[in-house]
Amino acid sequence: MAGSGSAGAGGPAGGADGAAGASGPELARAVLDAARARRESAARHRRPGVTGAADGGGRRLRGYSGPGPDPRDPQPLGAVLERLMKARGWQQPAAEATVFGAWEKVVGAEIAQHSRPVKLEDGELTVEARSTAWATQLRLLAGSLLKRIAGEVGHNVVRKLHIHGPAAPSWSRGPRRVRGRGPRDTYG
C-alpha cells in the first residue's frame, strides 16, 4: 500500500515522465488527475456563475442572476409567445388572425364600422360592406387599405382585396345546388 500511495503522488507531480513509466492503476490515476486539472483550468477561464443554456450545456444555472440580462430572469408573456410562434412557424396564421380579430385597429374605426372581413384565402381578403355605396367607396380605397393592412400585420399576408356589398341569399348558385323549382311560399 505504501508503494501505491507514493506512485500515485509521484505520477501527477512527475507529469509526462511519471506517466510514461507507469502502468495499470498508476497510469489510470495520472490520466484522471490530468483530466481534473484541465477541467479546473477551463472553469477558471469561464465567467463564474454562468453555465448551461448560455454555454449550450443544458445544465441548470446556479447563483444569482446579477444586474445584467439573464435567461433565468422573468420574461414578459409577449416575448415568450413571440419566441414560441417563431419556433413553431405560426407567424402567418397569427397575422391572418390579426386581420379578423383587430379589424378596427387595422383599417380604422370608420371603415370598420361599415365593413367586415369575411374570408382570407391564399392572400385574397373578401370584405363585405354594409351598403353598396360603401362597397364602391372601399373599392376606391383598396390601394390604401392594402398598405394599412401590410403595415399592421405584415407584407404578403393580404395581397388582393375582394369587396362586395350586402347580398341577398341566392338559391340558384352554390357548391351544393339541387335542381328544381327552389323555395316557394311552402316547402311541401
Side-chain angles (χ1 to χ4, degrees):
M1 257 208 229
S4 68
S6 64
D17 296 333
S23 64
E26 293 99 18
L27 181 61
R29 172 65 69 189
V31 170
L32 180 66
D33 288 339
R36 185 177 292 141
R38 276 195 310 266
R39 187 182 73 205
E40 288 172 358
S41 68
R44 274 187 252 127
H45 294 291
R46 273 189 276 181
R47 203 171 101 199
V50 176
T51 60
D55 296 341
R59 291 180 296 201
R60 184 167 183 222
L61 298 171
R62 296 178 161 252
Y64 295 106
S65 66
D70 191 273
R72 295 173 290 175
D73 291 340
Q75 302 292 318
L77 184 61
V80 173
L81 285 176
E82 189 174 323
R83 278 198 314 265
L84 178 68
M85 286 177 20
K86 185 180 261 188
R88 302 274 173 106
W90 293 341
Q91 293 99 338
Q92 185 74 14
E96 291 173 358
T98 303
V99 171
F100 290 95
W103 180 245
E104 185 173 343
K105 182 182 174 191
V106 171
V107 297
E110 187 177 6
I111 294 174
Q113 195 174 25
H114 298 285
S115 66
R116 68 181 181 95
V118 177
K119 176 174 74 170
L120 178 59
E121 210 171 69
D122 298 326
E124 297 181 3
L125 179 66
T126 304
V127 178
E128 182 179 287
R130 184 181 264 179
S131 66
T132 55
W134 267 100
T136 304
Q137 187 68 24
L138 291 177
R139 283 188 202 105
L140 295 172
L141 294 172
S144 63
L145 283 176
L146 282 173
K147 285 180 187 175
R148 277 179 159 179
I149 292 169
E152 195 67 37
V153 298
H155 296 286
N156 292 330
V157 175
V158 176
R159 294 184 299 274
K160 189 175 180 182
L161 286 176
H162 295 287
I163 301 168
H164 61 82
S170 172
W171 289 277
S172 64
R173 285 169 282 174
R176 294 180 184 89
R177 183 178 185 280
V178 176
R179 294 194 181 273
R181 291 179 24 184
R184 300 286 187 254
D185 61 343
T186 61
Y187 289 94

